[in-house]
Amino acid sequence: MSHITETFNASILDKMKKFYQDNQLSPTPQGAIFRAKTEDATITAYRSGKVLFQGKNPDVEARIWQEFRGDSPAKVAKGRNSQENKDLSFLTGNHIGSDESGTGDYFGPVTSCAVYVQKDQMQQLKDMGIQDSKAIPDDKIKVLSKQLVQMGIPYSLMVLKNEKYNSLQKKGWSQGKMKAMLHHSTIDQLQRKLGFPAEAIVIDQFCLPAVYNNYLKSEDLKLHPHTHFLTKAETHSIAVAAASVIARASFLKEMDALSQDAGFNLLKGASQKVDQLAAKMIKAKGEASLNTFAKVHFANTNKAKKYL
Ligand code: MG
């Protein structure tokens, strides 16, 4: 058991109190605002602004609030490394992994996939060459994804098409919220397919777990039990790696179909070449047509106008 003491201002203490409202313990010690207990730590916040994190993994909870306080990236990164000290034994047992693709690409949808991998399949997947999709060339991605589907690995896949993406964005949804909802929905769908809740769930972390939780809360959803957030999860979890492969293959397939529809070979990424292509499309089909093919709130839309 170890502990961390930190000092926070009143506004963060207020956020903390709300965040831990379902985990609060009573009575609170003298001078304390609240005391709460999570899987990783017991958190005691004092009126002075001092907060004591103690337990198995106090750094996991402390890190959330250090980021809120605006610690330097270096300091936060140092905290992040403590992920290595965390008990990651769930990675070698049956678990669900989820990942998404297309969030950094101006053209094309966002795809999201959750995969359930059993302990005795892990070696086979590694031998097949399943790893982080970013490390695999596109043509190989398509082959590997097909192989995963053919071997009957349980998975769930969702495609958030551009029209829907753009309408959610106009409604005020951040891309982070869309991602959180996609992860949540694919995991949900997969567990229903399985007929039982998975032993563990690993999400490739794209935002603070606290923020992810708030996205879910805003839609009256609750985090699935046994969910773990890991940065660079596709390098730690074979299930996340498999999910990254299927999600990327689906993104590539969607891009091929959209290119057919557009009559232009749509480019991946969000580079200057993408701006120029968007300009060509505006000239040929009108700006409104981008709604079907692109994430129109990206800066590329305005940059494209310079080329008109
Ligand atoms: Mg990811």
Side-chain angles (χ1 to χ4, degrees):
M1 194 151 118
S2 53
H3 74 271
I4 297 174
T5 310
E6 290 281 358
T7 308
F8 297 101
N9 65 28
S11 137
I12 293 183
L13 288 180
D14 203 41
K15 282 197 182 94
M16 289 177 85
K17 195 175 175 187
K18 279 193 198 117
F19 180 73
Y20 292 117
Q21 64 188 3
D22 294 338
N23 308 74
Q24 300 222 356
L25 299 175
S26 59
T28 50
Q30 195 163 19
I33 307 172
F34 72 86
R35 195 157 64 99
K37 190 172 167 45
T38 70
E39 232 176 278
D40 291 302
T42 300
I43 303 107
T44 314
Y46 293 92
R47 254 171 242 127
S48 63
K50 279 225 160 57
V51 180
L52 178 65
F53 302 86
Q54 52 193 150
K56 231 184 355 175
N57 302 301
D59 54 301
V60 173
E61 299 298 337
R63 204 165 60 226
I64 299 173
W65 306 104
Q66 287 159 348
E67 290 200 21
F68 260 116
R69 191 175 51 191
D71 277 354
S72 71
K75 210 170 163 192
V76 172
K78 222 175 134 206
R80 271 228 174 91
N81 289 340
S82 59
Q83 184 166 292
E84 284 140 34
N85 303 328
K86 219 182 143 183
D87 176 13
L88 299 176
S89 55
F90 54 86
L91 292 172
T92 52
N94 304 348
H95 68 276
I96 286 179
S98 78
D99 198 16
E100 84 290 320
S101 189
T103 51
D105 301 274
Y106 176 63
F107 291 113
V110 176
T111 60
S112 182
C113 183
V115 173
Y116 180 66
V117 176
Q118 284 173 289
K119 202 176 171 167
D120 59 5
Q121 295 171 310
M122 290 181 175
Q123 195 54 49
Q124 189 189 352
L125 295 188
K126 279 182 197 149
D127 293 344
M128 273 166 67
I130 299 297
Q131 56 170 321
D132 176 11
S133 64
K134 291 189 276 304
I136 311 173
D138 287 354
D139 45 344
K140 181 101 191 283
I141 292 265
K142 291 179 185 173
V143 174
L144 285 176
S145 175
K146 231 181 223 156
Q147 284 176 351
L148 285 169
V149 174
Q150 276 164 358
M151 69 184 270
I153 202 129
Y155 74 99
S156 154
L157 174 68
M158 281 187 185
V159 178
L160 179 62
K161 302 235 183 216
N162 293 94
E163 287 97 338
K164 181 80 184 173
Y165 178 104
N166 291 325
S167 80
L168 288 171
Q169 197 276 326
K170 281 184 192 117
K171 228 173 84 177
W173 284 38
S174 64
Q175 196 190 65
K177 179 167 176 179
M178 293 186 223
K179 284 200 260 188
M181 291 304 142
L182 283 167
H183 278 265
H184 186 81
S185 307
T186 49
I187 291 163
D188 216 43
Q189 206 175 59
L190 179 54
Q191 295 205 119
R192 264 184 278 134
K193 227 186 227 182
L194 291 170
F196 57 86
E199 294 84 340
I201 297 167
V202 181
I203 295 180
D204 183 28
Q205 182 174 333
F206 56 88
C207 66
L208 290 171
V211 174
Y212 187 96
N213 263 305
N214 283 340
Y215 289 141
L216 294 188
K217 270 190 195 163
S218 71
E219 297 297 314
D220 279 329
L221 297 168
K222 264 202 147 165
L223 190 67
H224 295 107
H226 312 296
T227 298
H228 305 266
F229 296 91
L230 289 183
T231 52
K232 297 209 177 87
E234 58 291 298
T235 61
H236 302 295
S237 155
I238 192 77
V240 174
S244 81
V245 167
I246 298 178
R248 191 65 186 166
S250 164
F251 176 77
L252 294 172
K253 197 176 138 202
E254 295 290 330
M255 282 292 268
D256 288 345
L258 281 176
S259 296
Q260 285 278 336
D261 293 349
F264 288 91
N265 185 19
L266 299 182
L267 300 170
K268 288 172 283 220
S271 65
Q272 198 178 8
K273 283 196 172 135
V274 167
D275 304 340
Q276 288 161 349
L277 177 58
K280 271 193 208 164
M281 289 176 66
I282 293 173
K283 272 185 207 158
K285 306 161 85 77
E287 190 184 339
S289 72
L290 290 176
N291 196 44
T292 317
F293 302 107
K295 301 174 188 83
V296 294
H297 71 110
F298 276 34
N300 302 83
T301 303
N302 279 328
K303 288 187 194 158
K305 290 178 185 162
K306 282 191 227 145
Y307 295 99
L308 295 179

